[in-house]
């Protein structure tokens, strides 16, 4: 039984106290790079204004035991997803355009076909880098017994690592400055955990850069056009240079289509730049770090796919490779819930470290019930490929029956793609049976009731005054980690470090910060 009453959070503030915290929080954010670019399109070549990121005024309560559990699990997940990315046969079966999701999802199919062709030609770089984030929510189905349930696992462009570190520092500052006016005995400095996400991500990139073996090479950040979340990326860039003297070049797919070349013979990836920036007029790339490339809208022409494949066939280490991006799909998450699949990847001595039954049970306990819309009665047999006339698959039928407790997910990242609860039956009515394989159904997580916070969002231009709004909220914890691994089946190095807490109004189904649903938050660890 919990000793902490979530329904009493956050403590009440007087108008003066709220105004004081809001002023201190916003000025701290501007002074410490807790920022976004405003939504002005197109963005100017150099930023000339900024808005603070959406933030909470209080840290949010989270059981210390489950926080430590999530950190411990990350080391297992680092290895698990590295091994999935190295298992070409498994990925071909589940995600391929011949037998898997790629048959019915054009975006996945395009990536897989390009990857298959590159494999046939011969990939020259055996190493891959993964920068991961495993996202969880508290699950409280009854009697206030909390458990940790995974929302998803991110293998590409796992964002907000840097800004999450900044917001945890903000809350420590507010506590040190005001002690939050003594409104809660739970607010103590030893309950606000350190957050080292920036150095963790930089360490992973630096380890891959070192493995590449050319100290003078640069790391390439592949970014979106008109990127608003640029400060989250810049903090990593600054850390790489300050601690490792590693330089970064930032380019979009559009720019790389013109500037990127792969040398014959050496397979070096070279990116051209202005001669007055680099005397040679180009830089050699050690690591390709994708902060874009995860949604179809970023591949608007065939040239964008060709550019992705050009980078993939180079000697540079990719973060992630196409294989690792495919491994992070929702379909893989669903397949991992099936019997024997975790054991396939975590119990094979030939792959390296073997994990015990307790570790596997603990990981499996974080899974919600999931299934593909194409499944048959035995859960493992797809039956949507040739359904009887007018007959639904078992997966679709089950989704209709349980719709009010479900979310449907496609193979997409970035928020705004899912279908929830009441909207599910109508969506299923319109879903082409051939597309069932591209969707999974997932039981909704039940978070604690009555939790609140003060949410502070900026104006779209930075000129609009905003005040913190008290709201009932749901929080999602992300744990960061990285892994450097090769095609020989072995993980060279991996680490866990840093975390992200995103908090949204309870009325919102989606949870992205960049898409405007959530705010950046930090942890208040409680004994639960």
């Amino acid at each position: 039984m919990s000793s902490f009453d979530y329904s009493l959070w956050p403590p009440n503030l007087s108008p003066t106290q709220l105004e004081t915290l809001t002023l201190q929080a916003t000025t701290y954010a501007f002074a410490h790079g807790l920022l976004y670019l405003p939504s002005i399109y197109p963005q100017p070549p150099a930023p000339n204004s900024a808005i603070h990121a959406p933030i909470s005024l209080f840290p949010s309560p989270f059981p210390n035991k489950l926080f430590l559990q999530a950190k411990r699990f990350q080391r297992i997940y680092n290895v698990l997803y590295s091994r999935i990315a190295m298992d070409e046969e498994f990925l071909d079966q589940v995600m391929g355009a011949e037998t898997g999701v790629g048959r019915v999802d054009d975006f996945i199919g395009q990536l897989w076909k390009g990857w298959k062709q590159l494999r046939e030609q011969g990939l020259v770089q055996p190493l891959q880098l993964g920068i991961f984030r495993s996202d969880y929510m508290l699950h409280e189905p009854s009697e206030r017994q909390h458990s940790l349930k995974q929302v998803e696992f991110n293998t590409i462009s796992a964002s907000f690592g840097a800004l999450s570190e900044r917001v945890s520092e903000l809350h420590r500052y507010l506590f040190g400055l005001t002690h939050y006016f003594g409104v809660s005995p739970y607010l103590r400095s030893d309950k606000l955990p350190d957050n080292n996400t920036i150095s963790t991500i930089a360490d992973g990139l630096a380890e891959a850069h070192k493995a590449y073996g050319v100290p003078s090479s640069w790391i390439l950040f592949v970014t979106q056009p008109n990127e608003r979340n640029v400060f989250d990326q810049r903090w990593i860039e600054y850390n790489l240079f300050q601690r490792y003297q590693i330089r970064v070049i930032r380019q979009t797919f559009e720019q790389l289509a013109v500037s990127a070349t792969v040398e014959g013979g050496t397979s070096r990836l070279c990116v051209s730049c202005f001669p007055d920036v680099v005397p040679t007029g180009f830089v050699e790339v050690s690591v390709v770090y994708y902060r874009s490339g995860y949604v179809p809208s970023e591949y608007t022409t065939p040239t964008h796919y060709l550019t992705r494949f050009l980078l993939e066939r180079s000697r540079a280490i990719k973060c992630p490779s196409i294989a690792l991006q495919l491994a992070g799909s929702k379909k893989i998450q669903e397949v991992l819930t099936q019997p024997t699949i975790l054991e396939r990847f975590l119990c094979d001595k030939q792959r390296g470290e073997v994990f015990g039954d307790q570790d596997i049970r603990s990981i499996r306990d974080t899974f919600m019930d999931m299934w593909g819309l194409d499944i048959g009665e035995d859960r493992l047999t797809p039956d949507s490929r040739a359904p009887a006339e007018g007959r639904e698959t078992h997966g679709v039928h089950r989704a209709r029956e349980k719709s009010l407790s479900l979310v449907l997910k496609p193979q997409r990242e970035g928020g705004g793609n899912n279908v929830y609860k009441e909207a599910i039956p109508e969506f299923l009515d319109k879903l082409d049976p051939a597309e069932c394989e591209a969707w999974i159904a997932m039981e909704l997580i039940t978070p604690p009731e009555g939790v609140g916070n003060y949410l502070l969002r900026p104006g779209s231009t930075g000129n609009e005054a905003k005040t913190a709004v008290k709201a009932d909220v749901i929080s999602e914890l992300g744990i960061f980690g990285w892994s450097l691994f090769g095609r020989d089946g072995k993980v060279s190095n991996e680490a866990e470090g840093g975390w992200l807490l995103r908090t949204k109004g309870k009325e919102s189904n989606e949870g992205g910060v960049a898409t405007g649903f959530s705010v950046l938050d930090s942890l208040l660890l409680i004994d639960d």
Side-chain angles (χ1 to χ4, degrees), residues 53-194:
I55 52 180
S56 66
L57 286 190
F58 280 89
S60 288
F62 200 92
N64 183 46
K65 178 181 177 181
L66 297 184
F67 173 61
L68 296 176
Q69 188 179 84
K71 286 167 63 69
R72 183 174 64 84
F73 288 164
Q74 188 61 37
R75 303 295 296 272
I76 303 175
Y77 273 116
N78 289 345
V79 174
L80 172 62
Y81 276 84
S82 299
R83 291 176 178 174
I84 293 171
M86 291 184 283
D87 195 324
E88 295 176 355
E89 179 183 1
F90 177 75
L91 287 175
D92 286 347
Q93 179 183 353
V94 178
M95 301 301 297
E98 297 170 358
T99 61
V101 171
R103 296 181 309 111
V104 294
D105 186 306
D106 183 64
F107 175 56
I108 296 297
Q110 291 271 21
L111 291 177
W112 181 85
K113 289 174 185 175
W115 177 51
K116 182 174 184 288
Q117 185 175 20
L118 290 168
R119 281 186 286 157
E120 292 169 349
Q121 295 170 356
L123 293 169
V124 298
Q125 178 53 260
L127 291 175
Q128 303 179 45
L129 175 66
I131 293 178
F132 304 132
R133 195 188 71 224
S134 185
D135 293 338
Y136 305 92
M137 289 173 59
L138 289 182
H139 185 50
E140 187 191 69
S142 62
E143 297 183 357
R144 302 178 66 83
Q145 296 299 312
H146 299 131
S147 60
L148 198 65
K149 295 296 182 180
Q150 188 181 60
V151 179
E152 63 182 358
F153 192 88
N154 301 275
T155 64
I156 182 169
S157 191
S159 60
F160 293 108
L163 295 192
S164 70
E165 184 170 329
R166 295 281 88 92
V167 79
S168 59
E169 292 169 351
L170 162 65
H171 287 154
R172 280 196 294 272
Y173 169 75
L174 291 178
F175 175 81
L177 183 70
T178 69
H179 283 257
Y180 281 99
F181 312 108
V183 294
S184 172
Y186 292 101
L187 282 162
R188 295 166 22 201
S189 60
D190 62 330
K191 299 300 182 181
L192 304 176
D194 290 336

Side-chain angles (χ1 to χ4, degrees), residues 7-51:
S7 67
L8 297 180
W9 195 263
N12 290 322
L13 295 171
S14 71
T16 303
Q17 290 169 340
L18 179 59
E19 182 180 350
T20 299
L21 287 177
T22 299
L23 175 62
Q24 292 292 342
T26 53
T27 52
Y28 185 98
F30 279 109
H32 292 81
L34 186 46
L35 301 173
Y36 264 15
L37 293 182
S39 53
I40 302 170
Y41 294 99
Q43 291 284 355
N48 55 21
S49 64
I51 58 176

Side-chain angles (χ1 to χ4, degrees), residues 116-356:
K116 182 174 184 288
Q117 185 175 20
L118 290 168
R119 281 186 286 157
E120 292 169 349
Q121 295 170 356
L123 293 169
V124 298
Q125 178 53 260
L127 291 175
Q128 303 179 45
L129 175 66
I131 293 178
F132 304 132
R133 195 188 71 224
S134 185
D135 293 338
Y136 305 92
M137 289 173 59
L138 289 182
H139 185 50
E140 187 191 69
S142 62
E143 297 183 357
R144 302 178 66 83
Q145 296 299 312
H146 299 131
S147 60
L148 198 65
K149 295 296 182 180
Q150 188 181 60
V151 179
E152 63 182 358
F153 192 88
N154 301 275
T155 64
I156 182 169
S157 191
S159 60
F160 293 108
L163 295 192
S164 70
E165 184 170 329
R166 295 281 88 92
V167 79
S168 59
E169 292 169 351
L170 162 65
H171 287 154
R172 280 196 294 272
Y173 169 75
L174 291 178
F175 175 81
L177 183 70
T178 69
H179 283 257
Y180 281 99
F181 312 108
V183 294
S184 172
Y186 292 101
L187 282 162
R188 295 166 22 201
S189 60
D190 62 330
K191 299 300 182 181
L192 304 176
D194 290 336
N195 192 352
N196 62 337
T197 318
I198 298 173
S199 61
T200 296
I201 295 173
D203 286 347
L205 291 166
E207 186 74 10
H209 175 85
K210 179 181 177 182
Y212 182 78
V214 181
S216 62
S217 58
W218 294 39
I219 292 178
L220 168 65
F221 283 26
V222 183
T223 59
Q224 295 176 330
N226 299 310
E227 175 63 75
R228 296 182 61 212
N229 195 23
V230 63
F231 298 100
D232 185 58
Q233 301 166 14
R234 289 288 190 183
W235 279 113
I236 300 167
E237 178 181 340
Y238 303 150
N239 195 277
L240 281 167
F241 186 74
Q242 290 164 358
R243 294 173 58 225
Y244 296 104
Q245 290 72 58
I246 298 173
R247 289 172 168 81
V248 166
I249 183 170
R250 299 167 54 84
Q251 293 202 4
T252 65
F253 275 132
E254 200 75 31
Q255 292 169 319
L256 289 166
V258 177
S259 67
T261 57
V262 175
E263 291 185 348
T266 66
S267 297
R268 291 195 312 162
L269 173 61
C270 295
V271 175
S272 60
C273 54
F274 293 114
D276 51 353
V277 175
V278 178
T280 60
F282 70 89
V283 298
E284 179 179 353
V285 173
S286 60
V287 181
V288 181
Y289 176 38
Y290 287 98
R291 292 300 295 255
S292 64
Y294 49 86
V295 290
S297 60
E298 294 174 309
Y299 299 83
T300 55
T301 70
T303 300
H304 292 124
Y305 282 105
L306 292 175
T307 301
R308 177 70 187 272
F309 302 148
L310 176 76
L311 303 180
E312 191 78 13
R313 71 178 176 86
S314 75
R315 180 173 166 255
I317 296 171
K318 271 64 70 176
C319 179
S321 66
I322 293 175
L324 187 53
Q325 180 172 345
L326 294 174
S329 71
K330 305 299 186 294
K331 186 62 180 179
I332 296 293
Q333 184 185 5
E334 181 263 315
V335 170
L336 287 174
T337 68
Q338 298 176 13
T340 75
I341 302 298
L342 277 179
E343 288 81 358
R344 168 176 177 163
F345 293 103
L346 296 178
C347 294
D348 186 347
K349 290 183 179 179
Q350 292 184 342
R351 300 178 188 266
E353 181 181 2
V354 176
F355 294 91

